[in-house]
Amino acid sequence: MTTETLIWLIPLPPLLAFFFIVLFTNKNKALSHTVAIGAAFLSWLGAMIVFLQAIGVEHFGEHPFAASTDWLPTGETWLRIGVLIDPLSATVLFFVAWTVLMIFLYSVGYHNFGQPAGDHDRAGLPPHGATEHGHAVLSIEPMYSRFFAFISLFAFGMLTLVVSDNLLTMFAGWEVMGLCSYLLIGFWFGKESARNAAIKAFMTTRIGDVFMLLGIAYLYSATGKLSFREIFTEVNLHTLSTIPSGVLGLSAAGLIGLLLFIGTVGKSAQFPLHVWLPDAMEGPTPVSAMIHAATMVSAGVYAVIRMYPLISLDPGTMSIVAFIGAFTALFAATIAVAQNDIKRVLAYSTISQLGFMIAALGIHAYIAAVFHLVTHAFFKALLFLGSGSVIHGMEHGVLHTGNHKVDPQDMFNMGGLRKKMPITFWTFLIGGFALSGFPIITAGFWSKDEILADAWGHNHYIIFGVLAFSAFLTAFYTMRQITLTFLGEPRTAEAEHAHETPWTMTLPLVVLSFFAVTYGWVGIPEHFPVLGGLVPNWIHEFVGGTLAEHPEALEFNWIPLLTSLGVALGGLGLGWLVYRNVKSPAEDKFQFALLKNKYYFDEAYDFLFVKPIYWFSENVVYKFMDMTVINGILHMFGPSTGGIGSTIRNYFDIPIINRLIGDGSADATYWFGGKLRGIQTGRIQQYLVLSLVSLFVIGGLIYFLLLA
């Protein structure tokens, strides 16, 4: 089998798993998760083979793995679709395959496989526990097989997006993930909050997707191409950069790039379309990890990185990208400081970290953005799965005490879990330190430091300052989360009775912890003191080969390094000092209403957009357009057509069709029948005489006519 054929097959196993589970195995939970995990493993195996082959090719950026085929005829030409693995997609494929496989395995334990069915559980609601041998125990998810079918389809969408060589099939994978986000955020559809969150996510991301589709259409109309390698030729890029778009003074490349970027703003939850991502926590925790690390939001950043040669042509578009990214990084970090739900802290953290990547792209820090995308995927998947492990342990405590009023996701109901859940604690600590950029030993330090170094090195001092302060807040709220959750003593009886989760949940945490530490080693700058040059800067050499011109490595500067060290260690230290003795929300000095309520953006959007749209739909579309205009037109046509119908019936149908033609033909036939009846005597002699007479008459007529 050729490498190109293998690339075509990588997204296929999860898609087949989806159909197989839906059609055949949905009644068998064990078989369903076996099919799903087996499919994820096959995709992982294919991805690893392709990745290892890719890193073995010298100058891989100039000789990527590619294959395409004719798909749709477009007049004299064909629209071609295919697969492409270059340094960028190979790097992204690596982390997608690993995180997806770990999330699939983790889901088996998270959904309590092997546990009894709940006493009162029903489809569409989270399991409430069961009674076994007189004790309350966790119960298995009622829609267990359905969950594995949906996340398999989710994985197919992301893998399709990564291996696509053109915008069209990339957009198809993009939309598959949008559908799956709706299905999985609203997985527990019996909860009103989950239904609302699913609709909110779907509608908000659709806003961005419409603009992205417009960008794709504009690009195709301008170039007649959708393939990345054809778009990024020097001739096409020069043409797009010189054609004015007539909008905001942007070139065609600038406007196309901006439209495509708005798609990323929706998918990667950047300001002002960030409001859907925190509510996505209504879905099961593996879904949160899929959305925040392995697939959906990573796809948004990947789209900008993939289209970077086009987007980077217009300085105006790049300024907008940098501003949105930096503002979002700081904006979301301030909100995370005041959140008490363990998953919502991570949700706003994700928005903030995505802002770092977008800002990096806006200042031309291409390699730093890719590096942080990969490291963030590993440590954020680790943190979300770790938070799910914590919630799982707390739910056991809730069942033990029977106090279902205690929120197992509220960090103020936790404390002391380091002793109860040691594996979860140490892996969460690694992930939290990686997110904070703990120096030297975590991957997050190297990728985040690279972004700060690029901002400083390219003289973007305002961006540098904003991102540095955001990084400080990141370390602060991360240590707040670790302290409130794991350190000190249990603050509730439920935390006292929490316990470690099964191996299917802890093994993925250990694997992801490994990458949250070691992946940073592939990006140590060559000029870094002491450590530089000990390990090759693989990420710079390999990923940089994706671009036509390899980016130059920055000269080492102490200012970004000292800033990175200061904000990471300072934020972690301050977070521990402030929260080490905090026992309740009342003692939390950062519970500002403005931050706790997310700057009231949901309320503002509800007032400015949702309610006016509802009013417009009810009063203008329904009452005026539908009931008055459309129904009025229909009611006007009703009497007039009725009158026309009556006229036709009375003056044409009845007298002419019925009486003259219909009844008239019957009467004429009846009259002729009556007259001819008299000659039907039954006498053969009479019939012979009539025949002879008829013969002579007809013969005479023919003879006369012939002589004439």
Side-chain angles (χ1 to χ4, degrees):
M1 181 186 296
T2 64
T3 303
E4 288 75 14
T5 303
L6 181 58
I7 297 168
W8 280 102
L9 296 176
I10 287 174
L12 190 59
L15 179 64
L16 295 178
F18 166 74
F19 286 113
F20 199 80
I21 294 171
V22 169
L23 296 175
F24 303 112
T25 71
N26 58 86
K27 300 296 183 183
N28 189 317
K29 295 179 173 61
L31 191 55
S32 293
H33 77 230
T34 301
V35 169
I37 296 173
F41 175 78
L42 289 176
S43 292
W44 172 86
L45 184 62
M48 293 306 103
I49 293 172
V50 170
F51 177 76
L52 291 174
Q53 290 180 340
I55 62 177
V57 176
E58 190 173 358
H59 303 297
F60 183 55
E62 300 173 10
H63 310 286
F65 302 138
S68 61
T69 184
D70 293 338
W71 185 45
L72 286 177
T74 56
E76 297 179 355
T77 61
W78 285 82
L79 182 63
R80 298 178 64 83
I81 61 171
V83 293
L84 170 68
I85 295 294
D86 59 6
L88 170 62
S89 51
T91 305
V92 174
L93 188 64
F94 178 84
F95 84 74
V96 169
W98 271 105
T99 52
V100 163
L101 181 60
M102 292 301 103
I103 291 167
F104 274 53
L105 178 61
Y106 175 95
S107 299
V108 175
Y110 179 84
H111 286 303
N112 305 317
F113 178 75
Q115 294 292 103
D119 302 329
H120 305 289
D121 289 352
R122 64 182 181 88
L125 289 173
H128 295 292
T131 303
E132 189 175 50
H133 307 301
H135 298 285
V137 296
L138 297 170
S139 56
I140 192 168
E141 166 59 48
M143 299 188 297
Y144 188 87
S145 297
R146 176 189 177 109
F147 177 83
F148 278 97
F150 286 170
I151 62 169
S152 296
L153 187 62
F154 211 158
F156 161 75
M158 184 62 183
L159 291 169
T160 300
L161 179 142
V162 174
V163 303
S164 294
D165 77 335
N166 65 92
L167 271 167
L168 188 62
T169 49
M170 175 180 157
F171 188 72
W174 182 280
E175 289 302 295
V176 168
M177 286 190 287
L179 169 64
C180 292
S181 70
Y182 171 78
L183 296 173
L184 287 167
I185 293 171
F187 182 73
W188 287 319
F189 51 82
K191 295 169 59 181
E192 183 180 4
S193 57
R195 295 197 304 271
N196 292 339
I199 295 170
K200 186 178 184 179
F202 191 78
M203 296 303 296
T204 306
T205 53
R206 287 294 74 70
I207 295 171
D209 292 356
V210 169
F211 284 96
M212 185 177 186
L213 194 57
L214 290 173
I216 294 173
Y218 187 9
L219 177 61
Y220 185 74
S221 68
T223 65
K225 309 292 183 183
L226 288 177
S227 171
F228 300 131
R229 300 182 75 190
E230 293 176 343
I231 294 168
F232 299 153
T233 61
E234 185 176 349
V235 173
N236 276 332
L237 292 177
H238 177 73
T239 302
L240 292 171
S241 65
T242 54
I243 297 174
S245 69
V247 178
L248 301 175
L250 298 171
S251 63
L255 182 58
I256 292 168
L258 184 60
L259 291 170
L260 296 175
F261 173 66
I262 296 174
T264 290
V265 169
K267 193 69 83 179
S268 289
Q270 297 295 282
F271 176 86
L273 299 180
H274 64 282
V275 292
W276 70 268
L277 194 58
D279 289 353
M281 299 302 98
E282 290 290 340
T285 299
V287 175
S288 304
M290 286 285 283
I291 291 175
H292 289 252
T295 57
M296 193 157 164
V297 297
S298 296
V301 177
Y302 173 76
V304 179
I305 297 173
R306 172 53 73 195
M307 299 305 296
Y308 177 82
L310 174 66
I311 295 174
S312 61
L313 293 176
D314 195 292
T317 298
M318 292 295 279
S319 298
I320 295 172
V321 171
F323 171 78
I324 292 292
F327 179 82
T328 303
L330 179 59
F331 169 80
T334 58
I335 299 176
V337 170
Q339 301 303 306
N340 297 334
D341 186 304
I342 188 171
K343 287 172 65 176
R344 281 186 177 267
V345 174
L346 297 176
Y348 281 105
S349 171
T350 299
I351 297 173
S352 180
Q353 295 304 304
L354 295 170
F356 272 83
M357 303 169 208
I358 296 298
L361 289 167
I363 60 173
H364 298 275
Y366 177 84
I367 295 174
V370 177
F371 192 18
H372 198 55
L373 173 66
V374 180
T375 61
H376 174 264
F378 283 124
F379 63 68
K380 189 52 63 70
L382 169 61
L383 287 170
F384 266 108
L385 298 185
S387 70
S389 182
V390 169
I391 295 166
H392 201 269
M394 285 292 296
E395 287 174 343
H396 182 273
V398 168
L399 289 175
H400 188 276
T401 63
N403 184 9
H404 291 277
K405 294 182 180 180
V406 172
D407 183 358
Q409 297 186 195
D410 191 330
M411 295 185 295
F412 282 100
N413 292 329
M414 301 175 189
L417 295 183
R418 72 188 186 282
K419 300 175 183 177
K420 307 292 181 181
M421 310 176 69
I423 299 176
T424 300
F425 165 64
W426 285 108
T427 54
F428 197 96
L429 187 69
I430 292 171
F433 276 20
L435 171 61
S436 305
F438 189 84
I440 309 302
I441 62 173
T442 65
F445 166 75
W446 297 108
S447 58
K448 196 175 294 186
D449 180 69
E450 187 79 8
I451 294 175
L452 293 177
D454 270 292
W456 184 267
H458 291 108
N459 302 320
H460 295 285
Y461 300 122
I462 296 177
I463 299 291
F464 174 82
V466 170
L467 295 182
F469 185 58
S470 302
F472 172 79
L473 291 177
T474 301
F476 177 79
Y477 66 65
T478 301
M479 197 63 204
R480 171 183 183 263
Q481 187 177 40
I482 293 171
T483 304
L484 291 176
T485 303
F486 294 101
L487 304 184
E489 298 300 324
R491 288 184 290 277
T492 60
E494 289 71 26
E496 183 68 41
H497 290 95
H499 69 73
E500 190 59 272
T501 47
W503 72 268
T504 51
M505 297 177 71
T506 54
L507 178 60
L509 299 181
V510 174
V511 173
L512 292 171
S513 297
F514 171 78
F515 287 111
V517 172
T518 60
Y519 202 90
W521 301 347
V522 303
I524 300 176
E526 296 177 359
H527 305 295
F528 195 86
V530 182
L531 298 177
L534 294 179
V535 180
N537 190 351
W538 174 83
I539 197 79
H540 187 275
E541 293 301 322
F542 186 71
V543 174
T546 309
L547 300 178
E549 295 184 8
H550 200 293
E552 294 183 3
L554 287 171
E555 292 293 328
F556 175 76
N557 192 304
W558 281 99
I559 294 177
L561 175 60
L562 294 176
T563 302
S564 185
L565 294 172
V567 298
L569 297 176
L572 289 170
L574 184 63
W576 179 77
L577 287 172
V578 171
Y579 286 97
R580 69 189 190 280
N581 295 319
V582 172
K583 305 296 183 185
S584 66
E587 300 176 27
D588 187 354
K589 298 178 181 179
F590 288 93
Q591 294 286 296
F592 302 121
L594 186 63
L595 300 181
K596 196 171 180 61
N597 291 287
K598 305 157 286 186
Y599 293 103
Y600 297 99
F601 260 84
D602 285 331
E603 291 80 359
Y605 282 7
D606 186 64
F607 177 76
L608 294 174
F609 301 110
V610 178
K611 288 181 178 177
I613 289 173
Y614 270 108
W615 180 90
F616 183 82
S617 301
E618 176 72 19
N619 293 284
V620 178
V621 176
Y622 173 64
K623 292 184 177 178
F624 176 69
M625 289 297 298
D626 188 17
M627 300 301 293
T628 304
V629 178
I630 295 177
N631 284 3
I633 293 173
L634 294 177
H635 293 158
M636 178 180 67
F637 277 107
S640 59
T641 53
I644 294 172
S646 298
T647 302
I648 294 173
R649 178 177 178 273
N650 294 328
Y651 295 100
F652 181 75
D653 185 29
I654 294 175
I656 298 176
I657 302 297
N658 287 0
R659 293 178 181 170
L660 179 61
I661 298 176
D663 296 341
S665 60
D667 292 342
T669 303
Y670 182 79
W671 182 85
F672 277 107
K675 298 302 180 184
L676 293 173
R677 191 182 299 122
I679 65 174
Q680 299 294 326
T681 62
R683 294 179 180 180
I684 293 180
Q685 296 89 337
Q686 183 178 342
Y687 293 164
L688 289 173
V689 172
L690 288 174
S691 297
L692 289 172
V693 171
S694 298
L695 178 63
F696 285 121
V697 171
I698 294 171
L701 288 172
I702 293 173
Y703 178 75
F704 175 77
L705 291 172
L706 288 174
L707 289 178

